Amino acid sequence: MTSDLRKTAPPPLAPVEFDIPQPHHETLANGLRVVIFEDERLPLVSLRLAFYTGDINDPDESVGIGSAIASMLTEGTEKYTSFQLAEKIERLGAGLSSSASDDFTVVSASCLSLYSSEVLTLLAEVVLRPTFPAEELDLYKRNTVEHLKFQRSQPGFLAGEQAARLIFGIHPYSRVSPKAADIEKLDRQSLIRRHAETFVPNDAVLVAIGDIRRDEFLAELRDYFGEWQTGAKQKSEFRGLPARNSRSLTVVDRPGSAQSNIVLANLSIERDHPDYFPLIVMNQVLGAGASSRVFMNLREEKGYTYGAYTRLDSKRLAGSFEATAEVRTAVTGDSLKEFFYELNRIRETKVGDEELRDAKEFLTGVFPLRAETQEGLTNLVMNQHLYSLPENYLQTYRENINKITAEDVQRVANVHVRPDETAIVLVGDAEQVLPQVRDYADTLEVFDTEGKQQDESKYAATSANELADAAGKWELKIIFQGQNLPVSLTLKQDGAAISGELDTMLGKGTIADGTINGNKISATARAEMQGQSVEFVIAGKLENDAMSGTITTPMVPNPLPFTGNRDCTAQKSAA
Amino acid sequence: MSHSFNLPPLAIEEYRLANGLRVVLNLDVRVPVISVAVYYNVGSRNEREGRTGFAHLFEHMMFQGSENVPKAGHFQYIMKAGGTMNGTTSSERTNYYETLPASQLPLALWLESDRMRSLAVTQENLDNQREAVKEEKRLRYDNQPYGQIFDLINEMIYKNFANSHSTIGSMDHLDDATVEDVQEFFRIYYAPNNAVLVISGVFEAMTVRELVETYFGDIASQPLPAELDVSEPPEVAANYKEWEDKLAPFPAFLIGWKIPPRRTPEFNALYLAGKVLYEGDSSRLYQKLVKGEESVIQLFGFTDERRGPSSIFVGAIPKPEEDLSAIREIIMEEIHDLSVHGPTTAEMEKIENQLVNDTVRMRQGSLSRAQQIAEFTLYDGDPSLVNRELDELLAVKADQVRLAAAHYLNTDNRALLDVVPAGKG
């Protein structure tokens, strides 16, 4: 083809219409609502049974019980042991699992349609007749306690934990995870009691999609779930959500972090709020995807991060709006600057026509893609029911997106994006990070990775403009086995970022991502030595033209102390 | 049961353009969606020493614009058409794919052909993507507990450099990369005759052939890269290594074995052996270690499928006070048992049903169909294997599983990586 034709994007072909298939609705005598999609395209079936009870409904004296019940459903029933259940399900090549989220508890099953009756029987068995065997509960408790310890090693968890605490306060949405003491308190009798209270058919919905005949399926449902007794619905009455009126800074000190995890969090709307549609369009422009503003800025223009996003998480009663990125330590402060620039820009300036159209076209176009698999269609239908959205929600979704104007976007940005009330959460090396970010909020609190608050005065309140000057050539001596080994460092400094070279008798190394904090320098030099990549971790303190500290390398077991001076004659040419 | 189960084959139409580009069409009218997958026959296996991480850096460069598509325009065009897209790099290949409303097929072909023809390799793009890759490495590997163990164990399993080095590569090597290096890499590997194009979903056959010819037909072919030697001696490169992980809260270990290439009868038998050992709550090791002994917090296992020598792994994060060697002994006892008695009839029935279920479920999505077809076309030269792979796996007999376990797993020829938490700095 000629190059002229290649110059512009081709127009689409004639559109192929797609209508979300119409389901069949039914309510059983005991109040269980049933939604059935007959879909014969492939010999598969997906089932999902959801209860309107989640982790937030856990009574104060038994936090964690909802998740424990969900996990324990498949660990023993009146008829089968844990192993027998696993064996029966897996022998059919099927899946059966259950979990609780903040608002809901969902039991899911999927199988070849050939086995749908067997799997439906097993679903009924675990939902109606779990026995919560004592030894299985003990194992669950021990494993969960270990898991709670494990998740503290993950920076994303630590950031999420603080963000939820800061924006949800004493509301149960602030609990992203129970505490070990909560888990240890759980006992079999309370699980049995709580299961009986919360697993009631009139507080649940079942979605079935796949190669099934509606009448046969309903007949089976009545057989397996007909005896299930109606009960009282759970009430959702919770403590209030906190009002925020200033910006706060919370740092989780994770020494040795290679990056800082940034979360900028605000309280936001519940899922059925009237601003939901304008807000997801706003979020699409601002940060939901790889062509949104914060990604284009922090990753594509600045190269600070692998990904930067904003996220609206609308739950049943409230929500959160967060901007997140994992950035290299030296640009933590710069990243905050760019984030706040974007958060302010979307409030102050109306989005352009093209940007708005692009966001809307993404949201409407991607919609049918989400219905491609049974799992995808089940998600769409399930959410509609769980969040009590209108009957025609899926049918009118695209229309509701297309209605949004630039004025709507700016209005909701001003209402719901609130940079001045943001909770800034950073997980990273506090000593490196604090001088860069201290000025972004009036209040500061520091925690360790165990969640214990630290004395923030321990972290010298130096600010970014009091950095020592490290640029130049440094002649250092390492003390190794009683000998002085000469090493030279040639450093360049750009703000808090340090780069340069390490020169030893054994070879040269490159420093790409060092940082300086006050008068403390930390950097890693990577060198090729005898075909191997060797790391030298440098931790030093500067006093004018003198430097002292340690160099650590895997080649020797202990850190090597060093001292030395700046070679002032070489400084000009090196810097 | 599988013998009475009749799964209709996927519709496969295959042809080749004059410039050598292999094209496979998979018509499927269920949902008006189209997936386009372009697989290039280049992965980390093609990297030479001193230039590791190149294949993956290149994957980033492919989103930086081409003659008619501005920098980052790829994301934007796809997203505003209501599509999703990505690219990934493995040892074997680099892939790019997008899923769109069916009417947007021309857009996908325009975008993929423009970058195949005329990628914009500039210093600015290179510098910027090098930084993004470094952050990706920090995020996925350096800043995660246990983040580096799979790269480490590959170095212990494989002796051949092509197989042993990591896909993310060395940051020093990336710093050394020049614009000329990247241009040369593009010329050699991103040629139409070194790629496969698969289109799956709703389309009109005549239209799609015309569009493919229009957009890809005049991209020049290139001399194919030299044959690659990925051969390996049977022995692993190293039996034991201890790794100090600053971020790991608990000790852990990973055992890796070197096994024959994908789709060989031995590999297939070992894939089934893996399912018996570690897949699902009814698997042997889960029942022994997580349940019976209650000694393990997390147990995992998987096979790494390659065209050359491949590998299989079993790993565990034991509870803090547990004796790691006792746990490893249990794993080896189970492997020994499997290599003496083979899988039980019940286990074989379970595997059969799981294989059928996985195969049918995979067929739901246009993207997963396109990806599977692309792999069979690129690796085996035969897209119709997507319809026969299930039969190949179902044909594996219990005794073949036993023999493969005996020969490849029940042996000291394995790599053991011990992860030691190195505490806080």
Side-chain angles (χ1 to χ4, degrees):
Chain A
M1 87 189 283
T2 71
S3 58
D4 276 356
L5 278 170
R6 285 203 302 268
K7 288 223 179 308
T8 51
L13 304 170
V16 188
E17 279 311 307
F18 177 60
D19 296 317
I20 294 277
Q22 284 294 338
H24 176 78
H25 292 270
E26 187 90 21
T27 303
L28 301 193
N30 58 15
L32 177 64
R33 287 188 290 151
V34 183
V35 184
I36 301 174
F37 286 86
E38 290 180 345
D39 172 6
E40 296 171 13
R41 296 174 302 182
L42 282 167
L44 292 174
V45 174
S46 296
L47 305 171
R48 213 169 286 182
L49 175 59
F51 297 89
Y52 293 79
T53 314
D55 293 334
I56 59 166
N57 300 93
D58 288 350
D60 285 344
E61 65 281 6
S62 43
V63 169
I65 196 167
S67 285
I69 289 170
S71 298
M72 292 289 298
L73 290 182
T74 51
E75 299 297 347
T77 65
E78 286 174 16
K79 269 197 209 153
Y80 305 117
T81 64
S82 161
F83 174 69
Q84 286 170 328
L85 283 167
E87 209 271 340
K88 280 189 166 295
I89 294 154
E90 290 176 4
R91 197 149 163 187
L92 302 173
L96 175 60
S97 63
S98 140
S99 65
S101 61
D102 277 333
D103 293 317
F104 312 111
T105 302
V106 181
V107 189
S108 313
S110 64
C111 60
L112 294 164
S113 46
L114 186 67
Y115 298 128
S116 65
S117 300
E118 284 95 325
V119 169
L120 190 61
T121 322
L122 288 166
L123 180 73
E125 178 71 14
V126 303
V127 167
L128 303 181
R129 288 176 289 277
T131 50
F132 308 106
E135 67 285 2
E136 296 290 350
L137 180 60
D138 275 353
L139 178 59
Y140 169 80
K141 286 162 65 174
R142 287 199 301 277
N143 286 352
T144 304
V145 168
E146 295 301 341
H147 178 75
L148 296 179
K149 286 187 212 157
F150 177 74
Q151 66 190 10
R152 307 210 73 85
S153 68
Q154 309 204 285
F157 171 80
L158 299 173
E161 178 184 56
Q162 291 294 342
R165 176 182 68 83
L166 290 159
I167 60 172
F168 293 121
I170 54 170
H171 188 278
Y173 278 151
S174 65
R175 287 194 306 252
V176 296
S177 150
K179 306 232 176 319
D182 298 323
I183 297 297
E184 275 148 14
K185 272 197 305 199
L186 297 175
D187 70 274
R188 178 166 181 258
Q189 286 313 317
S190 49
L191 261 71
I192 292 173
R193 220 171 28 239
R194 188 74 186 152
H195 169 261
E197 275 167 23
T198 56
F199 275 51
V200 293
N202 47 321
D203 204 23
V205 57
L206 175 84
V207 176
I209 297 184
D211 187 10
I212 45 176
R213 291 323 132 255
R214 183 207 307 168
D215 294 342
E216 290 169 26
F217 184 78
L218 280 169
E220 284 186 327
L221 268 188
R222 289 193 179 96
D223 279 354
Y224 306 144
F225 290 92
E227 311 271 280
W228 194 6
Q229 293 298 312
T230 302
K233 289 189 186 191
Q234 285 296 302
K235 286 206 188 83
S236 296
E237 283 166 5
F238 300 106
R239 288 165 299 240
L241 294 155
R244 289 182 61 84
N245 43 31
S246 65
R247 213 190 263 177
S248 64
L249 173 60
T250 303
V251 176
V252 180
D253 186 19
R254 188 171 178 265
S257 283
Q259 291 183 314
S260 302
N261 282 53
I262 300 176
V263 176
L264 308 182
N266 271 133
L267 192 63
S268 194
I269 58 170
E270 62 275 14
R271 184 62 178 75
D272 59 356
H273 191 284
D275 282 347
Y276 182 75
F277 282 105
L279 205 54
I280 61 173
V281 174
M282 191 286 300
N283 188 45
Q284 191 62 39
V285 173
L286 182 60
S291 64
S292 301
R293 289 180 178 183
V294 299
F295 187 94
M296 294 304 290
N297 180 342
L298 277 86
R299 168 168 157 165
E300 293 298 310
E301 265 172 49
K302 304 291 192 315
Y304 291 163
T305 177
Y306 178 57
Y309 300 96
T310 59
R311 180 176 57 214
L312 172 68
D313 179 13
S314 282
K315 302 173 198 285
R316 211 169 157 201
L317 308 170
S320 62
F321 177 75
E322 296 184 344
T324 63
E326 298 84 12
V327 305
R328 66 177 182 277
T329 304
V331 296
T332 311
D334 296 336
S335 301
L336 287 191
K337 184 178 154 207
E338 296 306 326
F339 265 131
F340 280 114
Y341 166 76
E342 296 296 354
L343 296 179
N344 286 316
R345 180 158 74 108
I346 196 138
R347 290 162 53 94
E348 287 156 10
T349 319
K350 226 187 323 169
V351 294
D353 291 345
E354 196 180 331
E355 217 177 2
L356 178 66
R357 193 183 58 227
D358 291 353
K360 284 155 65 169
E361 283 182 15
F362 171 74
L363 290 167
T364 53
V366 82
F367 191 69
L369 271 57
R370 298 203 168 123
E372 213 185 351
T373 63
Q374 285 187 357
E375 291 79 3
L377 186 56
T378 313
N379 280 337
L380 291 176
V381 175
M382 205 53 171
N383 283 339
Q384 179 192 347
H385 284 86
L386 290 178
Y387 293 106
S388 314
L389 302 174
E391 188 108 325
N392 61 355
Y393 178 77
L394 297 176
Q395 284 71 29
T396 55
Y397 177 90
R398 283 172 282 187
E399 205 180 300
N400 280 321
I401 295 287
N402 281 328
K403 281 202 294 231
I404 305 303
T405 64
E407 288 75 18
D408 295 331
V409 169
Q410 190 172 17
R411 181 184 64 79
V412 295
N414 275 285
V415 176
H416 301 293
V417 179
R418 298 184 295 272
D420 295 340
E421 297 171 19
T422 298
I424 305 173
V425 179
L426 302 171
V427 180
D429 195 322
E431 214 172 293
Q432 304 288 326
V433 165
L434 272 170
Q436 302 177 45
V437 300
R438 187 63 193 84
D439 299 338
Y440 279 90
D442 301 328
T443 60
L444 166 68
E445 38 177 17
V446 180
F447 290 85
D448 67 7
T449 57
E450 293 307 311
K452 287 200 194 70
Q453 189 157 7
Q454 307 294 296
D455 175 7
E456 66 270 12
S457 65
K458 248 182 18 191
Y459 299 88
T462 46
S463 112
N465 47 27
E466 296 171 37
L467 296 175
D469 168 26
K473 188 168 184 200
W474 296 84
E475 298 295 351
L476 311 175
K477 287 191 168 56
I478 291 183
I479 302 137
F480 180 55
Q481 293 179 345
Q483 284 189 301
N484 279 334
L485 305 177
V487 167
S488 74
L489 272 179
T490 309
L491 300 180
K492 286 185 190 169
Q493 184 169 352
D494 178 11
I498 296 289
S499 60
E501 280 190 352
L502 169 77
D503 211 339
T504 75
M505 293 192 308
L506 298 171
K508 275 194 180 194
T510 314
I511 299 167
D513 50 6
T515 53
I516 189 151
N517 165 22
N519 66 341
K520 288 184 185 150
I521 178 168
S522 69
T524 301
R526 288 181 189 81
E528 286 287 313
M529 288 184 179
Q530 291 134 14
Q532 287 219 309
S533 176
V534 182
E535 282 197 355
F536 296 86
V537 179
I538 304 157
K541 208 165 116 185
L542 298 170
E543 269 161 59
N544 299 321
D545 289 330
M547 193 192 314
S548 60
T550 58
I551 292 186
T552 312
T553 164
M555 299 195 300
V556 291
N558 297 313
L560 304 168
F562 72 81
T563 56
N565 293 298
R566 181 158 20 208
D567 178 354
C568 294
T569 54
Q571 191 183 354
K572 284 193 187 73
S573 54
Chain B
M1 74 107 229
S2 56
H3 305 287
S4 63
F5 192 86
N6 196 7
L7 190 60
L10 295 181
I12 299 286
E13 204 183 321
E14 181 195 10
Y15 64 101
R16 203 183 260 267
L17 301 191
N19 60 11
L21 179 68
R22 281 166 292 178
V23 184
V24 186
L25 309 178
N26 165 228
L27 179 68
D28 188 306
V29 297
R30 282 180 268 248
V31 181
V33 157
I34 194 95
S35 285
V36 171
V38 182
Y39 275 55
Y40 292 93
N41 192 6
V42 58
S44 58
R45 73 210 289 263
N46 300 91
E47 292 161 354
R48 55 192 169 84
E49 292 195 51
R51 285 289 180 271
T52 64
F54 242 65
H56 173 250
L57 173 65
F58 208 88
E59 174 211 315
H60 280 248
M61 294 298 293
M62 284 286 276
F63 292 93
Q64 293 304 305
S66 46
E67 192 183 344
N68 302 299
V69 179
K71 180 177 159 71
H74 193 99
F75 297 150
Q76 284 171 327
Y77 276 116
I78 295 290
M79 292 193 80
K80 72 184 184 188
T84 55
M85 49 84 224
N86 215 338
T88 69
T89 310
S90 75
S91 62
E92 306 301 297
R93 88 289 176 280
T94 312
N95 68 2
Y96 302 88
Y97 48 83
E98 37 276 318
T99 303
L100 288 153
S103 60
Q104 295 287 356
L105 174 64
L107 177 69
L109 298 177
W110 175 68
L111 287 167
E112 288 298 352
S113 65
D114 209 59
R115 59 184 178 182
M116 187 187 287
R117 180 199 318 273
S118 60
L119 190 71
V121 181
T122 66
Q123 187 66 50
E124 189 202 343
N125 289 344
L126 176 60
D127 290 344
N128 173 288
Q129 287 311 303
R130 207 158 24 203
E131 291 311 310
V133 169
K134 286 183 188 176
E135 291 317 310
E136 182 179 358
K137 179 171 187 285
R138 289 188 183 100
L139 174 67
R140 290 197 178 158
Y141 301 86
D142 302 346
N143 210 33
Q144 293 298 331
Y146 316 106
Q148 300 172 58
I149 64 175
F150 296 105
D151 287 346
L152 289 165
I153 203 156
N154 278 333
E155 289 171 9
M156 298 173 65
I157 291 174
Y158 297 115
K159 289 190 170 175
N160 185 332
F161 179 80
N163 303 324
S164 65
H165 73 275
S166 74
T167 302
I168 194 80
S170 143
M171 297 303 102
D172 290 345
H173 295 170
L174 294 187
D175 281 334
D176 291 345
T178 64
V179 169
E180 292 71 37
D181 287 333
V182 178
Q183 282 163 345
E184 184 63 1
F185 199 88
F186 179 71
R187 188 188 61 76
I188 296 174
Y189 294 110
Y190 280 72
N193 47 326
N194 202 41
V196 165
L197 166 69
V198 180
I199 300 168
S200 175
V202 177
F203 54 76
E204 205 273 300
M206 282 309 291
T207 316
V208 71
R209 279 175 177 261
E210 274 169 32
L211 285 168
V212 169
E213 182 59 38
T214 305
Y215 286 109
F216 290 88
D218 62 349
I219 304 176
S221 59
Q222 297 290 334
L224 278 179
E227 270 304 293
L228 192 65
D229 177 16
V230 292
S231 64
E232 285 275 339
E235 313 82 56
V236 295
N239 279 108
Y240 184 74
K241 185 179 169 102
E242 201 177 275
W243 163 248
E244 290 198 352
D245 189 331
K246 272 196 276 188
L247 301 172
F250 303 127
F253 65 83
L254 181 60
I255 313 175
W257 291 263
K258 182 151 48 181
I259 66 174
R262 62 181 278 285
R263 283 198 60 242
T264 56
E266 294 85 359
F267 179 91
N268 284 347
L270 289 163
Y271 176 70
L272 268 53
K275 282 184 170 278
V276 172
L277 290 169
Y278 52 66
E279 193 158 301
D281 290 3
S282 70
S283 67
R284 292 189 182 193
L285 293 177
Y286 184 89
Q287 283 298 325
K288 272 267 148 109
L289 295 170
V290 180
K291 289 291 190 179
E293 301 281 324
E294 302 187 1
S295 56
V296 158
I297 300 168
Q298 203 184 336
L299 171 81
F300 55 92
F302 60 93
T303 46
D304 179 12
E305 274 191 42
R306 298 179 179 211
R307 279 175 276 180
S310 299
S311 47
I312 185 167
F313 302 96
V314 175
I317 303 179
K319 293 182 185 170
E321 66 285 1
E322 294 292 331
D323 175 5
L324 272 62
S325 60
I327 294 169
R328 292 196 281 263
E329 225 161 89
I330 292 172
I331 293 174
M332 291 314 295
E333 276 166 22
E334 273 313 316
I335 287 172
H336 176 77
D337 182 80
L338 189 61
S339 65
V340 174
H341 304 293
T344 64
T345 314
E347 283 170 333
M348 289 303 284
E349 188 191 325
K350 171 174 85 172
I351 291 170
E352 237 177 66
N353 276 320
Q354 287 177 338
L355 291 169
V356 176
N357 183 67
D358 294 350
T359 303
V360 183
R361 231 155 252 285
M362 178 282 293
R363 292 191 178 189
Q364 294 187 88
S366 55
L367 181 60
S368 60
R369 290 193 304 267
Q371 290 179 328
Q372 285 229 338
I373 292 168
E375 284 193 6
F376 287 120
T377 313
L378 190 70
Y379 300 165
D380 308 283
D382 183 1
S384 71
L385 279 169
V386 74
N387 288 322
R388 300 204 308 278
E389 193 205 22
L390 177 62
D391 291 334
E392 280 183 8
L393 288 167
L394 292 175
V396 177
K397 299 276 181 290
D399 205 47
Q400 286 171 277
V401 177
R402 179 184 70 77
L403 286 169
H407 189 265
Y408 293 99
L409 303 183
N410 191 30
T411 160
D412 292 332
N413 183 28
R414 59 180 194 263
L416 168 61
L417 179 67
D418 252 327
V419 183
V420 183
K424 285 162 190 146

